[in-house]
Amino acid sequence: MPRLERPAPSVFNALLDPLGQRSTQRRTRRLEDPQAVAQDYLQYMLSDYEERRGQGHRNWRDLCPVYAFALTTHAADWPRGGEADTSGELAEHWDQMRGQSRLNWAQAQPVVEDAWRALDHIPAAAVRPLLQ
């Protein structure tokens, strides 16, 4: 089982919606191309959240733990793919780490996979400060 580092609590606060605190003019520009590389994970996370919220999907309290989970599992090099063992282990860890998120693993998994793809293209130096 890979070792999981904890995400920085100052960044991943499920109670503070980052888009609810920002003016419309200061919002992060959405990434038009899903393959576009975010400058850092925070930019990706805010852009993805803004898009999902705009489509009527979940709120910050539900998605913040998913982004933190994606970051920690990516940093720990969790295996990817449809392998039943890996998916089951990830589901178990999600249940332990999800906090107040109302998302079950089936709902969280696509968000995690999208975040992993983004993290594949973000330099490690930009991600490291987000982990303790």
Side-chain angles (χ1 to χ4, degrees), residues 44-62:
Y44 166 79
M45 186 173 61
L46 294 175
S47 177
D48 186 71
Y49 170 59
E50 184 174 25
E51 184 175 327
R52 290 178 195 278
R53 188 177 79 162
Q55 296 171 353
H57 291 288
R58 301 299 179 162
N59 63 30
W60 182 247
R61 189 173 287 194
D62 291 328

Side-chain angles (χ1 to χ4, degrees), residues 5-84:
E5 294 184 57
R6 297 173 57 117
S10 60
V11 176
F12 295 97
N13 185 337
L15 301 177
L16 298 177
D17 183 333
L19 298 182
Q21 301 171 8
R22 299 166 54 186
S23 72
T24 306
Q25 297 164 332
R26 292 178 49 186
R27 286 193 178 162
T28 304
R29 185 176 59 85
R30 283 190 304 153
L31 300 174
E32 301 299 327
D33 176 6
Q35 299 301 317
V37 177
Q39 290 178 347
D40 60 34
Y41 190 60
L42 292 176
Q43 178 185 344
Y44 166 79
M45 186 173 61
L46 294 175
S47 177
D48 186 71
Y49 170 59
E50 184 174 25
E51 184 175 327
R52 290 178 195 278
R53 188 177 79 162
Q55 296 171 353
H57 291 288
R58 301 299 179 162
N59 63 30
W60 182 247
R61 189 173 287 194
D62 291 328
L63 288 172
C64 178
V66 179
Y67 297 128
F69 184 78
L71 178 65
T72 58
T73 54
H74 187 274
D77 290 326
W78 272 81
R80 299 184 195 180
E83 297 175 19

